Amino acid sequence: MKALLALEDGRIFSCRSFTGPGEVGGEVVFNTSMTGYQEILTDPSYRGQMVTMTYPLIGNYGVSREDVESSRIQASALIVREYQDDYSNWRADMSLADYLKAANVVGIDELDTRALTLHLRTHGAKRGIISTDVANPEALVEKAKALPSMEGCDLASGVSTDKPYRLVNDTPVFIQEELAEGLFTARGEKKAVVAFDFGIKFNIIRLLEAAGCEVIVVPANTTAETVKAMNPDGIFLSNGPGDPEPVTYAVETVKALIGYRPIFGICLGHQIMSLALGGKTYKLKFGHRGGNQPVQNTETSKVEITSQNHGFAADMDSLSAADVEVSHVNLNDRTVEGLRHKVHPVLSVQYHPEASPGPNDAQYLFDEFVSMMERFTV
């Protein structure tokens, strides 16, 4: 079925919908990963975005129920050069097209993704509309212009859980009791961790548990008083979508928790930590999305190849050098990829050490978080 992708700046791309009729809008971004499209689609950090895969052939290994990073598809749409409906994978349960159709998510192909990616790199991420109603391209451009900007949008509240839960066999098991110290049942054997859900990926919880933690996931708006009532050994701040600056409720909570227990933040959690420490954030031109971003650890000088998915970054110049130091830096554009507090047990990174998809170079950070908890004394 013929379709169009119309960007807010007037650029129009002809394409085909491989999921049937539909119309959807969002911020158009690109991801350079060669594999992992299912993990990317189900990553809550992509809420409100239409993801372009730069690798040309997508769909050839189908979809597996075991490879999800949340309970639903989070991206608004998928944009590819060539969709392959005939998949080959012994683990696959269905085709990518059927997976998208079941979730009412639009997928398009036969689009020049090289030209689109070059346009986004040159002019920045753009709001766009995908539609199978191709009669009036100019009207689609106007619709794209009318979409809300990613800047100023609190999307974390829309993807966060409403109720606290434990993850059991990749399924959230909700907690009905009042949040209190007694909810952690493995104290002494495992480190008790409260994980704030700003859009948490399942693999983060898996790796925290693999590192020896008992994890309880709590809503994004959970208060510092509630966390203290749970008496955890450590606090985790998750990844998530959108602009960190409107997530003021979380910033105030994190401010109140700095120094109380060790804190580890990833992605949006890193940005929220930066704001809580008195810094600022800013929107990147086209963001970092893919599984091949080189990051240098400033303490060891070692380079990690990392998985990334973010459109905002911390402004190091806005943070106090007396209190905070850069722990990791992006070797492509020198942006801040990690922070440490010089006094309090605080560590945060902009990238995704849990990968899924992507390389595992940075998984040591989960063990480092556990070490922080072991060294900490109340």
Side-chain angles (χ1 to χ4, degrees), residues 40-307:
I40 290 165
L41 285 168
T42 55
D43 180 350
S45 295
Y46 281 110
R47 177 64 66 91
Q49 294 178 323
M50 304 195 293
V51 183
T52 306
M53 301 299 294
T54 60
Y55 187 73
L57 183 66
I58 300 294
N60 53 314
Y61 59 84
V63 167
S64 169
R65 292 186 180 90
E66 298 178 359
D67 294 339
V68 298
E69 286 301 317
S70 67
S71 58
R72 52 162 288 185
I73 293 178
Q74 303 287 348
S76 299
L78 181 65
I79 303 169
V80 304
R81 176 67 186 94
E82 179 183 348
Y83 168 67
Q84 175 53 256
D85 197 52
D86 296 324
Y87 59 89
S88 177
N89 176 7
W90 66 271
R91 297 176 65 249
D93 300 304
M94 66 183 78
S95 71
L96 175 58
D98 288 341
Y99 185 58
L100 292 170
K101 289 175 186 177
N104 294 314
V105 175
V106 173
I108 58 173
D109 71 346
E110 297 184 4
L111 183 145
D112 189 344
T113 51
R114 291 178 299 179
L116 174 58
T117 300
L118 181 59
H119 188 80
L120 298 177
R121 283 185 59 89
T122 303
H123 302 285
K126 298 294 180 186
R127 293 169 292 176
I129 293 281
I130 294 171
S131 180
T132 52
D133 182 1
V134 299
N136 192 344
E138 291 76 16
L140 297 180
V141 172
E142 294 303 315
K143 285 184 179 181
K145 291 179 181 178
L147 292 171
S149 170
M150 191 62 69
E151 290 181 274
C153 279
D154 170 15
L155 297 180
S157 59
V159 298
S160 176
T161 183
D162 295 327
K163 298 177 181 178
Y165 68 86
R166 295 182 177 87
L167 190 68
V168 180
N169 297 323
D170 281 354
T171 301
V173 176
F174 294 103
I175 297 170
Q176 305 302 327
E177 303 97 315
E178 181 180 352
L179 291 178
E181 184 173 0
L183 289 176
F184 290 105
T185 59
R187 289 185 187 274
E189 300 175 21
K190 299 180 178 181
K191 294 299 180 184
V193 172
V194 170
F196 278 86
D197 178 15
F198 305 121
I200 196 166
K201 292 170 63 180
F202 286 169
N203 205 44
I204 289 174
I205 305 173
R206 297 182 196 114
L207 290 180
L208 284 171
E209 292 177 343
C213 301
E214 181 183 5
V215 182
I216 294 179
V217 181
V218 298
N221 60 0
T222 301
T223 65
E225 291 74 20
T226 299
V227 173
K228 291 178 180 179
M230 298 174 71
N231 190 26
D233 297 310
I235 298 161
F236 177 78
L237 311 177
S238 86
N239 62 293
D243 188 343
E245 291 194 356
V247 194
T248 53
Y249 49 89
V251 173
E252 293 304 314
T253 296
V254 173
K255 280 182 183 179
L257 292 172
I258 292 173
Y260 165 69
R261 292 290 189 273
I263 303 177
F264 177 32
I266 287 175
C267 192
L268 183 64
H270 159 79
Q271 296 161 8
I272 288 172
M273 175 56 71
S274 301
L275 294 170
L277 291 170
K280 297 179 180 179
T281 58
Y282 62 97
K283 195 174 191 304
L284 295 168
K285 184 176 181 180
F286 49 82
H288 300 162
R289 296 176 182 88
N292 57 353
Q293 291 278 336
V295 169
Q296 186 173 44
N297 183 318
T298 59
E299 182 179 359
T300 65
S301 295
K302 290 183 178 180
V303 175
E304 305 159 15
I305 304 303
T306 66
S307 176

